[in-house]
């Protein structure tokens, strides 16, 4: 894409973000969750030339813009596996045999093969395409095959996602490859497991989400995401933990359980009780994200990627077909 086209696309993405409304916060213990709503829905629905929005089947017989990885794997339209028999820790091979692009959001944990990994940056895999996907290992103590293919079953917690995204973008600006700081990722996995005193012989992050009710039940009782929300912002006191935003409420509803487990478990690492976060904290963070979006150092095969360049923020966004498919943003002070 030419420089002018990049400027226009970033401008369109920022305009899209200005239509996002912050809903009323929901609070439990030390965590406040603000639902996010895309207020541009009416304008989109009234346009005859509007793209088919969201994930899955669309009314009127229009083709879906994308499907999620877990759904594509279940439908036997996608598979994720090691790049070869010997494998390569920072890369996985993903194949889309279907006729619809597959959305793989940043932070998703893939279980199986030689070791569990998490996705470095959000990407779309075009129909009838195979590509290599940058990932980070979240299971340092295993390098032996447990299965041929991976499954999408968990989500990395915000603190790990922040350092992973930030280091992957920095490395990509220098080398063109979105490779995260693996040593830092392993340290954060160790700290996370140790904080919960979880027996984990292979240092597997996913073990902390196998029985999350022990840590998350009080949060889940008090925090129920509205079905119409297309995103959410999580804060602890006056500090934002993270933000995840999609173009479709349907997409978020399918991912909410896994994503919220990761946010709730991270919040449970601190046993303090805090006052509910004021709404202006969420609004200020969303505005800061909008202000700091810039084109990524290297563009993906499908869609247009943006990143946040700011010492206090880390994050990325993938724009496709007139909307932000997924935006994740984190405070580096978390």
């Amino acid at each position: 894409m030419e420089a002018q086209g990049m400027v226009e696309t970033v401008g369109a993405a920022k305009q899209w973000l200005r239509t996002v409304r912050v809903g009323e916060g929901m609070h439990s213990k030390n965590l406040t969750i603000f639902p996010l709503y895309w207020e541009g829905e009416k304008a989109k629905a009234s346009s005859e030339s509007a793209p088919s929005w969201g994930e899955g089947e669309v009314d009127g017989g229009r083709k879906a813009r994308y499907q999620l990885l877990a759904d594509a794997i279940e439908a036997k339209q996608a598979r994720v596996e090691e790049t070869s028999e010997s494998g390569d820790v920072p890369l996985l091979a993903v194949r889309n045999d279907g006729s619809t692009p597959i959305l793989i959001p940043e932070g998703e944990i893939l279980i199986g093969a030689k070791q569990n990994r998490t996705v470095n940056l959000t990407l779309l895999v075009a129909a009838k395409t195979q590509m290599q996907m940058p990932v980070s290992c979240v299971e340092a103590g295993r390098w032996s095959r447990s299965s041929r293919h991976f499954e999408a079953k968990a989500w990395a917690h915000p603190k790990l996602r922040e350092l992973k995204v930030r280091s992957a973008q920095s490395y990509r600006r220098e080398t063109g490859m979105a490779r995260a700081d693996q040593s830092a990722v392993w340290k954060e996995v160790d700290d996370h497991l140790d904080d919960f005193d979880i027996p984990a012989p292979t240092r597997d992050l996913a073990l902390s989400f196998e029985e999350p009710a022990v840590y998350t039940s009080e949060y889940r009782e008090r925090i129920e995401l509205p079905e119409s929300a297309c995103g959410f912002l999580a804060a602890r006191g006056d500090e934002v933990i993270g933000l995840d935003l999609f173009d479709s409420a349907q997409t978020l509803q399918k991912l909410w359980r896994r994503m919220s487990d990761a946010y709730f478990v991270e919040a449970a690492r601190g046993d303090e009780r805090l006052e509910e976060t004021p709404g202006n904290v969420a609004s200020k963070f969303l505005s800061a994200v909008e202000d700091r979006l810039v084109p990524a150092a290297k563009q993906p095969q499908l869609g247009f990627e943006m990143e946040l360049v700011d010492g206090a923020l880390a994050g990325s966004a993938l724009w496709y077909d007139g909307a932000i498919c997924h935006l994740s943003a984190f405070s580096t002070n978390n």
Side-chain angles (χ1 to χ4, degrees):
M1 183 183 291
E2 298 293 333
Q4 183 60 34
M6 289 187 178
V7 171
E8 292 174 355
T9 303
V10 172
K14 291 185 176 186
Q15 181 62 41
W16 193 89
L17 282 174
R18 292 186 196 111
T19 70
V20 174
R21 175 174 62 85
V22 178
E24 185 176 350
M26 300 167 286
H27 183 74
S28 178
K29 293 175 63 177
N30 59 355
L31 182 70
T32 305
I33 296 284
F34 294 92
L36 303 176
Y37 303 92
W38 180 51
E39 297 280 72
E41 184 70 24
K42 292 181 180 179
K44 180 267 295 183
S46 66
S47 171
E48 293 182 0
S49 60
S52 53
W53 292 78
E55 188 275 334
E57 293 299 322
V58 179
D59 292 340
R62 292 181 297 173
K63 184 178 177 181
R65 299 172 67 235
Y66 58 77
Q67 62 177 326
L68 291 167
L69 179 62
D71 291 340
I73 290 174
E74 183 178 357
K76 300 189 184 307
Q77 295 177 349
R79 66 175 184 263
V80 182
E81 55 192 359
E82 302 290 354
T83 56
S84 66
E85 280 301 315
S86 58
D88 189 359
V89 172
L91 290 172
L92 293 178
V94 54
R95 180 182 180 87
N96 180 3
D97 291 321
S99 58
T100 304
I102 294 172
L103 179 67
I104 309 179
E106 173 272 316
E108 189 150 44
I109 293 179
L110 305 173
I111 307 293
K114 291 198 166 191
Q115 61 183 189
N116 298 342
R117 320 289 223 288
T118 183
V119 180
N120 283 355
L121 296 167
T122 297
L123 56 87
L124 281 163
V125 184
K128 310 298 182 183
T129 298
Q130 180 167 318
M131 62 182 291
Q132 291 191 337
M133 172 171 59
V135 293
S136 297
C137 169
V138 289
E139 187 184 9
R142 177 172 71 93
W143 188 246
S144 59
R145 193 178 293 278
S146 64
S147 63
R148 174 60 58 178
H149 302 128
F150 287 88
E151 295 182 88
K153 285 192 169 182
W155 220 273
H157 57 284
K159 187 172 183 178
L160 186 144
R161 292 172 64 192
E162 179 271 318
L163 70 86
K164 170 182 59 65
V165 167
R166 178 165 39 85
S167 62
Q169 290 174 339
S170 177
Y171 193 79
R172 184 173 59 183
R173 285 191 287 269
E174 297 176 2
T175 68
M177 297 180 291
R179 184 170 297 184
D181 183 339
Q182 185 60 71
S183 295
V185 169
W186 279 331
K187 183 180 184 307
E188 172 54 29
V189 170
D190 283 342
D191 291 345
H192 184 83
L193 293 171
D194 290 345
D195 283 347
F196 292 106
D197 196 23
I198 296 172
T202 64
R203 310 309 292 167
D204 180 8
L205 176 65
L207 289 177
S208 65
F209 308 119
E210 283 194 353
E211 297 182 8
V214 176
Y215 313 109
T216 65
S217 58
E218 186 171 348
Y219 295 109
R220 199 163 295 285
E221 287 171 5
R222 296 176 176 273
I223 296 175
E224 183 175 352
L225 189 75
E227 290 186 359
S228 57
C230 61
F232 63 94
L233 182 147
R236 193 162 43 202
D238 290 335
E239 190 68 53
V240 172
I241 299 174
L243 175 156
D244 277 282
L245 177 66
F246 296 89
D247 60 334
S248 161
Q250 182 184 5
T251 298
L252 177 56
Q253 284 296 322
K254 287 194 171 189
L255 299 175
W256 167 247
R257 184 73 190 206
R258 285 182 284 151
M259 298 184 81
S260 59
D261 277 348
Y263 275 88
F264 294 164
V265 168
E266 172 148 316
R269 289 173 78 176
D271 59 3
E272 76 280 13
R273 291 185 177 268
L274 299 172
E275 295 294 322
E276 182 171 346
T277 304
N280 67 316
V281 171
S283 298
K284 281 183 63 177
F285 188 85
L286 192 61
S287 295
V289 168
E290 176 201 323
D291 289 343
R292 289 158 177 81
L293 277 180
V294 298
K298 184 177 181 180
Q299 289 301 317
Q301 295 179 15
L302 186 62
F304 179 81
E305 186 181 338
M306 290 160 280
E307 56 187 49
L308 294 173
V309 179
D310 184 285
L313 298 174
S316 66
L318 185 64
W319 176 268
Y320 172 66
D321 193 22
I324 293 176
C325 289
H326 179 220
L327 180 149
S328 58
F330 312 96
S331 168
T332 57
N333 297 322
N334 177 34

